[in-house]
Amino acid sequence: MAKSHTATRVGLFTESVIREMTRLNNLYHGVNLAQGFPDFDPPGELLDAAARALREGFNQYAITWGAPRLRQAIAEKFAWYNGLTVDPELHITVTCGATEAMMATLLAIIDPGDEVVIFEPFYENYGPDAALSGATPRYVTLHLDDPGLGFEAAELRNAFSAKTKAVIVNTPHNPTGKVFSREELELVADQCRRHDVIAVTDEVYEHLLYDGRQHVSLAALPGMAERTVTINSVSKTYSVTGWRVGWTICTNPDITNGIRRVHDFLTVGAAAPLQEAAVTALHLKRQYYADLATMYQRKRDRMLDILRQTGFRPIVPSGAYYIISDISEFGQDDVAFTQFLVKELGVATVPGSSFFHHPQPGRRYIRFAYPKQEPTLDEVARRLARLPRAVEQLKR
Ligand code: GLN
């Protein structure tokens, strides 16, 4: 038998659908509403801070766990925004984005065969993260036909067992925009305490909240600090997705030490000058966050208008910067329809099935990312205005 040159683990998942759509978008000169990144610059003071850091000598390795000033700034912000006091020396690890943070965390806590509870639909990374760490995922459905995008408490209870090692909670949620309520998080916390399970939270959209919604960190619920790894990054909050600066926070020393061990040998550390610049980001005035949420709520409303006017039935997000929309009236499945949109109209989106472990429940949906400037959204409106006509021709 021919020898395989690749490991079994890389056969367990496929390439990122989100980035594949970005490639297709570039091929067809489309507007990229597939990959979630802003098409505008971060605040000017962050650019200045990054340039200054390069000139002022931050060009060699930072401390592996993260530049001390950055960890200090993360701890201060975590205290005022998330309500928890942590020790930057012992509890914080700076990583190459939340992506590395999630991978390093799962590699640090999962043994092959351990079960991890994941809410579905889920951000596409969690599938490969589970596969690479050897976890067996157990899914809990978020109901897309329910305006609150709720889940059944009984289904959550049934997903937890003696085999459960961790639960991943992403709030505000990609791709649905759900913001988990305190009551919902209490249900999760209750299961974690009952079954001695670690919660891993992805809170990268914590400031993108609409209609008066509040962000609640699972780590701040009673008895949860020691059993929660809180993951965050500068990417979304400060519009710097390419900087790749993220972090984990966990007050349980065994878990933090495990994460640090994996992180050390995986990447050594995130870019030193950008860690320095991230300090400036975390020190921005609190008004910055309120303005950010206001700006994004306006973009959300604009995007919802565009979609409704062109025949979509979007789900209204309460947070993050994505809109999931039903596409059943267009008569095509998600993959065919996203291909059609990018090739015929020049608008790239993500097929809903990439957020589900079995494609079928996602076939009726596609995801739009809207962190875009007004002129970009104007262009999207112009391009999507041709949709009803184009669909009619397609059906003929
Ligand atoms: N988090 C962003 C998204 O969901 C970017 C992800 C990616 O590049 N895979 O679109």
Side-chain angles (χ1 to χ4, degrees), residues 40-162:
F40 44 88
D41 274 338
E45 55 219 283
L46 303 199
L47 301 178
D48 294 341
R52 221 174 25 247
L54 285 167
R55 286 205 202 87
E56 288 180 358
F58 293 97
N59 296 302
Q60 312 307 330
Y61 302 124
I63 290 173
T64 303
W65 327 133
R69 287 180 64 226
L70 177 55
R71 280 182 285 131
Q72 181 63 38
I74 292 167
E76 283 163 17
K77 180 158 180 288
F78 199 53
W80 75 255
Y81 189 66
N82 310 77
L84 271 169
T85 305
V86 297
D87 182 343
E89 275 310 309
L90 300 176
H91 304 145
I92 297 176
T93 309
V94 175
T95 56
C96 297
T99 299
E100 192 219 337
M102 182 60 76
M103 191 72 253
T105 300
L106 294 188
L107 288 175
I109 64 177
I110 299 296
D111 279 318
D114 287 346
E115 292 188 357
V116 173
V117 175
I118 298 175
F119 290 91
E120 183 178 58
F122 52 84
Y123 174 43
E124 63 163 12
N125 279 32
Y126 306 154
D129 287 343
L132 285 170
S133 61
T136 304
R138 293 287 305 265
Y139 301 96
V140 175
T141 304
L142 296 176
H143 292 285
L144 296 184
D145 45 11
D146 166 34
L149 299 153
F151 57 88
E152 313 288 341
E155 196 186 338
L156 181 77
R157 270 198 305 276
N158 289 336
F160 280 75
S161 71

Side-chain angles (χ1 to χ4, degrees), residues 39 41 99 122 148 153 165 267 320 342 358 394:
D39 70 344
D41 274 338
T99 299
F122 52 84
K165 193 66 169 284
T267 63
V342 69
H358 288 313
L394 195 76

Side-chain angles (χ1 to χ4, degrees), residues 36-38 42 96-97 233-236 238-245 271 274:
F37 63 91
C96 297
S233 92
V234 292
S235 292
K236 273 64 184 199
Y238 307 104
S239 308
V240 288
T241 61
W243 284 18
R244 316 309 304 131
V245 176
L274 299 178

Side-chain angles (χ1 to χ4, degrees), residues 16 18-19 34-36 123-124 174 205 236 322 367:
S16 155
I18 296 175
R19 287 185 286 277
Q35 199 174 16
Y123 174 43
E124 63 163 12
N174 178 5
Y205 303 100
K236 273 64 184 199
Y322 307 100
R367 188 194 80 172

Side-chain angles (χ1 to χ4, degrees), residues 261-278:
R261 247 182 242 179
V262 174
H263 160 75
D264 190 7
F265 291 102
L266 212 51
T267 63
V268 181
L274 299 178
Q275 291 192 47
E276 284 306 312

